[in-house]
Amino acid sequence: MKLYYTKSACSLAVRIVLNELGLDFQDEEVDLKAKKTSSDENYLLINPKGAVPALSLDNGELLTENQVILQYLADITPGQKLLPSVGDLRRYHTLEWVNYVATELHKTLGMFFNPNLNEETKNIFMSVINMRLKYVNEHLATGPYLMGKDFTLPDAYLFVILRWAHYFKMDLSAYKHLEQFMNVVAERPAVVTSLQQEKL
């Protein structure tokens, strides 16, 4: 497998899960502005969406979209603990969280990467973001992870998105459970390895 990634982007969640599962993979960095890979390939010929992550499988197939890639990686790994098995209701609650992070947090916080975003628009988004972070923070009171005591797929994704919040200098001090979550996840060996691999 080969992971197409950009440093600190949401593709970091896939890298963390790859390392959590102990899967062998190669990686190649993508310049999202130039749409070029580090080996100077036209990235749009690899992934016409022009976004990361993209996961090239050994059979030549390409998977895109974080939620799908994360679920695929769990499903192909026997005995893994990041996603319960089909039929177990916990599986669907876990995927609920993956989708919540993707649609409610990723897409909203991701808007702050737009250099043309004015202060008025930022303030509108911040009110929405704070409402959503408050919800996640309250849920994590039963933590340390989103599904309780077990680290699962959405935790990797949430960790990456909350790193963006720190990057944008958003004040998360009111959300003590989010801060605790970040500290606990940052100590996981797979997360340490992933950050080292991207030189973060």
Side-chain angles (χ1 to χ4, degrees):
M1 287 185 286
K2 180 192 273 192
L3 172 65
Y4 290 94
Y5 77 100
T6 299
K7 283 183 181 181
S8 281
C10 60
S11 48
L12 177 58
V14 174
R15 181 185 295 278
I16 290 169
V17 167
L18 283 162
N19 284 318
E20 282 280 347
L21 294 171
L23 296 172
D24 290 327
F25 68 99
Q26 299 172 306
D27 62 15
E28 184 159 3
E29 191 169 0
V30 178
D31 180 333
L32 289 175
K33 287 183 181 175
K35 304 300 181 191
K36 291 278 188 182
T37 70
S38 57
S39 61
D40 207 36
E41 286 185 85
N42 180 350
Y43 185 56
L44 292 174
L45 296 179
I46 297 165
N47 177 13
K49 294 176 182 176
V52 293
L55 189 69
S56 177
L57 307 182
D58 294 339
N59 65 2
E61 293 265 3
L62 188 79
L63 280 180
T64 63
E65 305 301 330
N66 253 324
Q67 307 98 299
V68 174
I69 295 173
L70 295 178
Q71 184 175 334
Y72 170 79
L73 292 173
D75 284 345
I76 63 165
T77 309
Q80 57 77 31
K81 297 180 180 178
L82 300 184
L83 180 66
S85 58
V86 172
D88 185 333
L89 197 57
R90 291 175 306 147
R91 175 186 181 88
Y92 308 103
H93 286 310
T94 304
L95 293 174
E96 255 186 311
W97 274 111
V98 171
N99 283 279
Y100 186 84
V101 175
T103 59
E104 304 302 318
L105 294 176
H106 179 173
K107 291 305 177 188
T108 314
L109 264 164
M111 295 295 292
F112 282 74
F113 285 108
N114 184 339
N116 299 317
L117 208 63
N118 62 42
E119 286 305 312
E120 184 182 355
T121 309
K122 282 182 182 179
N123 289 334
I124 293 169
F125 278 116
M126 273 310 302
S127 65
V128 174
I129 289 166
N130 280 318
M131 182 178 65
R132 293 171 182 172
L133 291 179
K134 182 175 181 287
Y135 169 69
V136 179
N137 182 67
E138 289 171 355
H139 178 80
L140 282 169
T142 59
Y145 301 116
L146 288 168
M147 290 300 293
K149 64 182 178 61
D150 297 319
F151 181 87
T152 56
L153 296 180
D155 295 308
Y157 203 169
L158 179 62
F159 176 78
V160 173
I161 302 308
L162 291 179
R163 286 185 87 252
W164 293 358
H166 286 291
Y167 173 78
F168 293 124
K169 296 184 170 46
M170 295 176 182
D171 183 7
L172 302 184
S173 59
Y175 308 118
K176 66 176 184 177
H177 301 301
L178 290 185
E179 293 289 356
Q180 290 168 356
F181 168 85
M182 290 298 283
N183 292 335
V184 169
V185 175
E187 292 177 358
R188 295 186 69 83
V191 174
V192 173
T193 298
S194 298
L195 295 175
Q196 288 172 344
Q197 287 171 343
E198 295 196 8
K199 298 180 174 60
L200 299 174

